Structure formats: C-alpha cells, structure tokens
Amino acid sequence: MSAVGYPFSAIVGLADLRLALLLNAVSPAIGGVLVRGEKGTAKSTMVRALAALLPEVDVVAGCRFACDPAQPDPACPDGPHEASAPYETRRARLVELPVGATEDRLVGSLDLERALTEGVKAYEPGLLAAAHRGVLYVDEVNLLHDHLVDLLLDAAAMGTCHVEREGVSVRHAARFLLVGTMNPEEGELRPQLLDRFGLTVEVRASRDPGERAEVVRRRLAYEADPAGFAARWREADEELARRIADARALLPRVELPDTELERIARVCAAFEVDGLRADLVTARAAIALAAWHGRDRVTADDVRQAALLALPHRRRRNPFDAPGLDPETLDEALGEPDPDPEPPAGGPGGQDGDRAEGSADHSADHSADHSADHSVEQGADHGAEQGAEPPPGPGAAEQAPVKPGEPFRARLLSVPGVGSGRAGRRSRAETSYGRTVRARRPVQPVTRLHLTGTLRAAAPHQVARGRAPGGGLVLRREDLREAVREGREGNLVLFVVDASGSMGARQRMRAVKGAVLSLLLDAYQRRDKVGLVTFRGSGAEIVLQPTSSVDVAAARLETLPTGGRTPLAAGLLTAHKVLYHEHLRDPRRRPLLVVVTDGRATHGPDPVGEARRAARLLAARRVAGVVVDCETGPVRLGLAQRLAADLGALALRLDELAADALAGLVRGIKDPRDSRRAA
C-alpha cells in the first residue's frame, strides 16, 4: 500500500464528522470525537487524513515525550530540559491504538530487571507518550477492554499519564486529540464512557446514487495513482490547514456572552444530562465554532450547532436508548421557533419523527384493546394454573408480540471457579489487572513483578553468590517471580426462552420479557457476549447468534412472538449446539446458560423424557446455568425445579432475580455437582 495518505478534502459527504474533527483540531480541550456508524463509511479514512492538516509542532530534540521547548514538562522523565535546549519541528503524530493492546503498551512499561539489579528507573514510553501533542486514534473503541478505556479517558481528561509499577512512579504529559470509531452493531460503550468523549457523530453511507458513484470514482483514482491524486487536492488541504492555524490563534480572543452561556445551561438542563461536563463541552465547542468561522463572539447559531454535536450521546437514560435529540425540545430550550416541523432523517440529533404517529387512534382503540388483553390473560392464566395446555384455536395460535415489563437491577449470577477469558465484570478470572493473589515463575518476559516472591526466591542463595555483609541483594534472572492477578471476566450468556402457549398469558409474558431484559442490561454492563434461543410450536429457533451487541438482543426480545406447544427438548438441544460451536470459536470464554420457562414439555412422542435427556446432556458438559421458574398461580407443579436438578443448575423464581430480593440467598451459581447431590 502506498504511504501517500488519502486527502481530507477529497472525502465526499460526512459533513457532521468533518466539522467535529475540525473543531477538535482547533480546540483539543473539547475532548475528542466518537464516531458511530455502519461499516464502510470512510470513518477511519477521514480520521487518518486529519493528521496531515494539523499544524507542525516544535519538540525538544531527543525527548521521547515530545516536550514543547517553550514550555517543557518539568516532570518529563527525559528532563529536566534547559531553556536553551535544541529543538526540531515535525508533523503532529497520528498514533493508532489497536484493540488487542495491553496496558503496558498503552501507558508504557518499566525494565524491572534493571530497576532491581542496577537501581535505575528504566522506563519505556507507551502509546500515550507517542500521541502527546498529536492524535490518538482508536478504531473499534467499543471492543477495547474496559480497563484500557478507563486509562485512556483518564489520561485524555487530565492531560497526564501516571505509571505505577512496584513502588516506582513515573508521570509525563499526555495531551492529544482523542478520536474513536465504532460500529454499534458490534456492541455499545457504557454510558459512563460515552460521556467522556466531547462530541459524537452518527455517520451512514449516502443513499444518493450520484454521491455514491463519486465516492467510488475518487477512491479508484486514488488507488491508481496515490501521489497524483494527493497532488490534485493538496491546495484544498493546505487551505484547511491554514484555517485551523488561524482559528487556533483567534481562539483565546473569542468571547462567550452571558446570554449564550445561559442558553447553553438551559439546553443542558432541558435534556436532563448528568453532571456539568455537557455544559463545558458545549461551551468549548461553541467557542471553537466561532473561531472556525473567523468571529470573535459566540452566537446562538454556534450554541445550537454545538449542542447537536455535544448532547445526543449524553441524554441516554437507558443503555439501549438510541442517541439523539428531539428538535422541538432543543428549539424550545434555545428560545427559538421550530425551523422545521419535520425532523431530519439523518445528521446529529436526527430522529424518526414517528413518535406522534397513530396517537389519534390510540384513545379510540384503547378500551377495546384493554378488554381483549384482559380476557386473553385471564383465560391463559387459568389454564396455566391447572397445568393444562391452552385449547386449540386463538388461545394456542401465535399471539402478537408483548412489550417487556419495566426492567430492574438484576442480581449477579456468576460461573463457578476461576477462568481466564476476556476481561469483563461477571465471573472470577486471572487477568492482567486486579488484586494480586499469588506469585509464580514467569512464562514470558516479566511485566508484573511480585516483589516479595522474588526476594523469597533469592534469599536462600545469597551466601553462595558471595553477598558481602551490608551489600546489596544479588539477584539473578531465575529469581524473578511474576504476580498472578485476579479480576473478572465476561462470559457467554445464552438465554433459552420459552415462548410457547403455556407461557403465553400476556401479563405473564410481559413480566418474563421484563426479567430477560433486566438480565440483558446486566450482561451489557458486565461486558458479556449474549445469544438468544426461543422454543415454541414444533421446534426451537436461534433468534440471535452469540454477539457482543446486547442491544440487538433486546430489540429481538421485544418483537418475540408467542403461542403453540412447548418443545422444551428442542430448545435445550439447540442451546447445546450453540454452546458447542462457540466453544470451538473461543474455548476460553465460559458459558452461562439461562433457561426461562415454567418447565412444561408438551411436544413430541415423549416430551418429558426427551427434555430430561437433553438437560442431562448439557449437565454432562458441565455447563453452569440457572433456571428461571415462571410458573404462577396458587397450584405449582414444580416442573422448573426438576429441570434445574437435571441441568445441575440453580433454580430461581421470577421474583428472585432482582438484586434486592431475598438478600440471604446465595448470589453465585452453585457447582453443578452440588446441585445434583441436593436433588
């Protein structure tokens, strides 16, 4: 591939992303940009092209931390730098942080052998040091481990990087323009992390054939002659670079009037955003907008445009809510009339605009719908209490999807033992961070030294090695011990949901969906991978293959139809197949099976026997699980309890899933062997 980058000015469309990147180039204090969008929309291309537009920087010659010779960092590990130190001028760097990076690669690492044997702080800078006074780009930031994202965003917010390794402390400046890209289909960022990005932009490919053709035409021209293509756009890129430099020079002189500051406060209060970071970011973005347009005073238009970029991702009240702003609420908070009664389909803050659709018919149909729902629920619940399947006809046929009930904070369900899977927040696991639990001989270069273990290993050999009285400890490579740390891992949570007629009472199915949605919210927060299997009628269906995109599972759950017989065995066998294939793909990720059912099995020549054999097949694979008993009514058959015994799983009633329910109950999942002995 040619080293010539794609010109920024040659990129077609993506006006919102272009503006957000340029504003951060003018004022890095805004806090960076998070770019959300579908794959193949030139997100990465535009971010990489931005680096060529940034003004050149003066750096102290030989400084690995890019210190500014005019204001060198007094705590620079390569310093202190003299006022007359030689310097050099170079381009601002674009540093890319790969998804698979380690903590040491991000913040830097210490040569622990030299630190112990020679008594020197031999520090190797990481990517944060390389990105100082440049751009740090994280592609697929939603797939980055949480502890790395925390370190990254802390450094971006504080402008410094702290490295602590076994009593040795290093601090250096780390101010950079942070840009992250992500595809929401592959999983969302936690709301706490979303809030740390200054601006957010939604991008999607143009649907205009002419614009799409122009994109392809330019890309093909670039691939045929990268240098010639870049030369044709050089003048336009140089003009953008001049505008960025001029705007940076004007930025300190831009005035934010009190009227516009109060307008910003009204907008942020109207959208009920948490904290004051939104107000600060909106103010900084409005000031940068004024400077970008060559004005020395912020206007109401600047505030509006800044709000559209700074607020959509901060008003999510639920992790599954789509980012966006209601244009009418925005105009009301700004104190302006609605300029467009039809909300735009795209761009920052765009929404579907269908909230009011059908509202005129709602009151007319409400009474009839309520009556129909009540009769269905009453009839289905009566049959469920008697342990009978609904009779043929409308009661047994497929019913319209039921909306989930209100979600709640779910209790922690964890896999027994200690794993070694991808970092997360559910089950115990050996990780690269967390509390130190023991020492062991290293299997690779030591990055996490266990100091006490190392000293214990070296102590018996000091006389043989000729250590003089009062002299230093004589260490050798074989003495080194690394620390084993224990943290939490993310699991594969596979939901197997009974959607049959025996579960079809609308009120009960609403509660079941609300419970599953609560468990999905919990999986989202604990960084799990999730899958969804449903069974009804004559078979089972994989509604969602295991994925990190928990919000997709929530969407599928909401539209889940119900009705028909109960093929419990088919649901369990399908779950077994899914878990088998996932184990081949990722053997280190441990599964957690969540079966949501009342325990009935009514389909097949021997429905109960087939279900028990399928359950024991899963138990033989030592799959940790929980059975959520959805049986209701005064007469309970206890079928879900029997299923849990066959699975070697923990059995919980639907009302025991909440975190504050039955606090005395054991929260973790028991070892399957214990459950079988109890049964």
Side-chain angles (χ1 to χ4, degrees):
M1 181 178 290
S2 171
V4 179
Y6 197 91
F8 190 89
S9 302
I11 299 174
V12 178
L14 305 182
D16 297 320
L17 174 56
R18 178 189 300 265
L19 179 61
L21 291 174
L22 291 173
L23 291 180
N24 273 271
V26 171
S27 176
I30 289 173
V33 185
L34 176 64
V35 189
R36 300 163 44 93
E38 56 195 19
K39 51 188 174 292
T41 51
K43 302 187 297 292
S44 301
T45 301
M46 181 170 279
V47 173
R48 293 188 177 103
L50 175 69
L53 304 181
L54 298 179
E56 293 183 336
V57 294
D58 294 332
V59 298
V60 175
C63 179
R64 298 173 298 167
F65 301 88
C67 275
D68 185 350
Q71 293 180 321
D73 180 9
C76 176
D78 284 354
H81 301 297
E82 299 293 336
S84 59
Y87 68 91
E88 58 188 11
T89 302
R90 61 165 172 79
R91 285 272 185 193
R93 290 174 179 162
L94 171 68
V95 177
E96 297 193 35
L97 174 61
V99 170
T102 63
E103 180 179 341
D104 291 330
R105 186 71 187 101
L106 177 63
V107 301
S109 60
L110 294 172
D111 188 334
L112 295 172
E113 292 183 44
R114 289 190 63 195
L116 284 173
T117 59
E118 302 176 25
V120 297
K121 296 181 181 179
Y123 174 66
E124 185 65 28
L127 295 177
L128 291 179
H132 180 46
R133 304 177 67 198
V135 180
L136 182 62
Y137 172 48
V138 189
D139 194 13
E140 306 294 350
V141 65
N142 52 324
L143 303 183
L144 200 64
H145 288 181
D146 278 0
H147 70 289
L148 293 183
V149 177
D150 291 337
L151 289 170
L152 174 65
L153 295 178
D154 282 343
M158 302 299 296
T160 57
C161 173
H162 291 269
V163 184
E164 303 289 341
R165 291 289 187 275
E166 305 297 341
V168 181
S169 177
V170 175
R171 188 206 68 82
H172 65 81
R175 292 184 297 274
F176 46 81
L177 167 56
L178 175 63
V179 182
T181 59
M182 59 174 284
N183 182 354
E185 294 178 358
E186 297 172 342
E188 284 282 1
L189 276 174
R190 301 198 314 270
Q192 299 94 319
L193 302 182
L194 274 174
D195 183 59
R196 300 297 291 271
F197 282 93
L199 308 179
T200 296
V201 177
E202 295 276 343
V203 298
R204 58 179 61 86
S206 172
R207 300 298 184 255
D208 177 62
E211 190 169 302
R212 294 172 72 96
E214 182 60 23
V215 171
V216 175
R217 186 179 299 113
R218 294 187 185 183
R219 185 68 196 187
L220 293 176
Y222 168 74
E223 292 172 355
D225 181 13
F229 185 82
R232 289 197 294 273
W233 291 93
R234 184 173 295 118
E235 185 176 347
D237 271 7
E238 289 175 351
E239 175 59 28
L240 279 177
R242 283 193 295 270
R243 284 193 64 184
I244 291 174
D246 292 344
R248 280 190 175 187
L250 177 60
L251 191 68
R253 304 195 303 273
V254 175
E255 178 189 357
L256 177 61
D258 286 344
T259 54
E260 301 309 326
L261 180 56
E262 291 172 2
R263 195 189 305 270
I264 291 172
R266 285 202 309 272
V267 170
C268 294
F271 286 107
E272 299 180 349
V273 296
D274 295 331
L276 292 173
R277 184 176 286 118
D279 305 62
L280 289 168
V281 170
T282 306
R284 289 168 180 159
I287 292 171
L289 267 166
W292 174 249
H293 292 296
R295 291 184 269 99
D296 60 2
R297 188 180 178 87
V298 173
T299 67
D301 287 340
D302 295 329
V303 172
R304 178 185 175 85
Q305 202 162 12
L308 288 171
L309 293 170
L311 299 185
H313 62 296
R314 290 189 165 88
R315 65 176 308 267
R316 297 175 69 187
R317 314 314 299 175
N318 183 303
F320 298 148
D321 291 343
L325 293 181
D326 180 6
E328 293 182 2
T329 305
L330 177 59
D331 290 329
E332 184 178 344
L334 289 168
E336 299 175 356
D338 186 358
D340 183 1
E342 293 295 331
Q351 294 188 344
D352 295 336
D354 60 352
R355 178 180 299 177
E357 185 176 344
S359 60
D361 300 330
H362 177 72
S363 58
D365 295 339
H366 177 72
S367 177
D369 287 347
H370 179 75
S371 175
D373 285 354
H374 180 71
S375 62
V376 171
E377 292 164 9
Q378 197 173 40
D381 278 337
H382 178 74
E385 291 169 7
Q386 299 302 319
E389 193 73 24
E398 179 178 314
Q399 302 169 7
V402 180
K403 293 287 185 182
E406 284 297 318
F408 49 81
R409 187 168 67 90
R411 66 189 308 158
L412 171 60
L413 302 171
S414 58
V415 179
V418 180
S420 59
R422 183 181 289 270
R425 301 194 171 200
R426 184 172 295 279
S427 304
R428 294 172 56 201
E430 287 188 11
T431 60
S432 59
Y433 65 100
R435 64 186 182 93
T436 300
V437 293
R438 68 180 187 276
R440 68 183 175 194
R441 289 182 179 273
V443 295
Q444 56 188 356
V446 180
T447 57
R448 302 188 304 272
L449 182 74
H450 194 287
L451 185 58
T452 305
T454 300
L455 296 176
R456 285 178 176 173
H461 309 290
Q462 295 306 296
V463 174
R465 294 173 184 174
R467 178 188 176 189
L473 193 68
V474 182
L475 290 175
R476 293 181 181 173
R477 184 181 297 274
E478 59 266 23
D479 299 329
L480 296 179
R481 297 293 183 270
E482 68 176 355
V484 177
R485 295 177 179 170
E486 186 175 294
R488 294 279 173 176
E489 67 177 357
N491 298 111
L492 166 61
V493 182
L494 182 63
F495 293 93
V496 181
V497 180
D498 185 347
S500 66
S502 68
M503 297 280 290
R506 295 182 68 86
Q507 192 62 32
R508 192 193 324 167
M509 198 62 194
R510 186 176 291 113
V512 168
K513 284 190 175 184
V516 177
L517 180 61
S518 302
L519 293 172
L520 282 171
L521 282 165
D522 183 64
Y524 168 86
Q525 293 164 348
R526 301 188 187 280
R527 313 305 285 169
D528 293 317
K529 199 173 182 180
V530 299
L532 179 60
V533 173
T534 64
F535 57 94
R536 64 186 182 88
S538 59
E541 178 186 5
I542 304 174
V543 176
L544 182 69
Q545 291 283 0
T547 175
S548 297
S549 185
V550 182
D551 52 336
V552 175
R556 300 282 174 86
L557 175 72
E558 187 166 335
T559 59
L560 179 68
T562 61
R565 289 191 170 274
T566 312
L568 177 58
L572 297 177
L573 291 174
T574 302
H576 182 274
K577 180 173 70 172
V578 171
L579 294 176
Y580 172 76
H581 288 298
E582 282 301 307
H583 177 74
L584 295 179
R585 293 191 184 98
D586 187 359
R588 296 175 60 192
R589 187 184 288 271
R590 297 187 295 163
L592 171 61
L593 182 68
V594 180
V595 184
V596 184
T597 181
D598 56 10
R600 290 178 175 82
T602 61
H603 177 76
D606 181 17
V608 176
E610 291 174 359
R612 299 197 71 178
R613 287 190 290 272
R616 288 168 180 167
L617 182 64
L618 283 164
R621 291 185 58 87
R622 301 183 63 83
V623 176
V626 59
V627 175
V628 180
D629 184 1
C630 302
E631 191 173 27
T632 59
V635 179
R636 294 178 181 267
L637 303 180
L639 300 177
Q641 300 282 340
R642 297 179 198 172
L643 174 63
D646 289 333
L647 284 170
L650 177 70
L652 293 174
R653 295 196 310 273
L654 200 62
D655 57 2
E656 294 175 347
L657 283 178
D660 56 353
L662 296 180
L665 222 65
V666 177
R667 290 177 178 267
I669 294 179
K670 299 176 183 178
D671 189 297
R673 292 172 295 182
D674 296 337
S675 297
R676 285 195 291 274
R677 284 195 292 267

